[in-house]
Amino acid sequence: AMSDPHCPTRGVWKQDSSRCESLCPLLEGLGLPSALRGIACTVADSTMTTYRITCPTPDTCKIVDKTWFGRNETSVPLDGSERETKTRNGRKTFMLSGSVSDDGTSTVQCRLVSRGEGWYTRQERKVTAPGELRERNVLVRPGHDDVVVTRIFLKTEEDVR
């Protein structure tokens, strides 16, 4: 099957927990209080994620992620422009943008404007083997090393509604 250059990560992908790094360093980097660390890390790492990734237009990527906590839909512009987006609870806004590179890496960037200059997260997704998606979650903060957490997803026929 020929992959779509605009949408190289198109498909339904189910997390392969056995091959995922802990999300804890990411949560800590975002300022998770140490009192909550144990439980929050356990919940984050045991939550199974499934993605349905489509590209309704050549310059838009739509990602539906589904966990025990429900379904979340994100529409990302792929033309380099930023779109103001609210968090799920609507309390904070961030600037969302996306791109697809020549090597087939699809990147979603969230500029965390509420935290100040230089804070952002990136999700870099790439099909690294047939039926296998590698997701790198990168947290960038001024004055700190980047935090990188890698997770692996496997293609599934099951659809995510």
Side-chain angles (χ1 to χ4, degrees), residues 104-122:
T105 301
S106 172
T107 300
V108 175
Q109 180 169 298
C110 296
R111 194 157 55 84
L112 306 175
V113 287
S114 61
R115 292 180 181 260
E117 199 56 50
W119 280 79
Y120 58 93
T121 60
R122 271 196 326 265

Side-chain angles (χ1 to χ4, degrees), residues 28-124:
E28 289 173 1
L30 287 166
L32 176 72
S34 53
L36 300 175
R37 201 160 287 163
I39 188 73
C41 292
T42 302
V43 169
D45 289 339
S46 61
T47 298
M48 177 67 72
T49 302
T50 304
Y51 291 126
R52 178 159 51 97
I53 301 174
T54 56
C55 300
T57 68
D59 54 3
T60 308
C61 179
K62 189 167 117 185
I63 301 162
V64 176
D65 62 274
K66 207 170 102 174
T67 65
W68 301 328
F69 302 110
R71 179 184 175 284
N72 190 41
E73 190 174 300
T74 308
S75 208
V76 184
L78 294 175
D79 58 6
S81 66
E82 285 188 320
R83 178 178 300 152
E84 187 176 84
T85 308
K86 287 197 176 315
T87 54
R88 201 188 296 202
N89 62 24
R91 285 204 293 262
K92 290 187 176 148
T93 60
F94 56 92
M95 299 304 287
L96 194 64
S97 61
S99 63
V100 176
S101 64
D102 291 340
D103 76 353
T105 301
S106 172
T107 300
V108 175
Q109 180 169 298
C110 296
R111 194 157 55 84
L112 306 175
V113 287
S114 61
R115 292 180 181 260
E117 199 56 50
W119 280 79
Y120 58 93
T121 60
R122 271 196 326 265
Q123 282 188 321
E124 302 167 352

Side-chain angles (χ1 to χ4, degrees), residues 3-8 100-101:
S3 84
D4 176 348
H6 298 290
C7 203
V100 176
S101 64

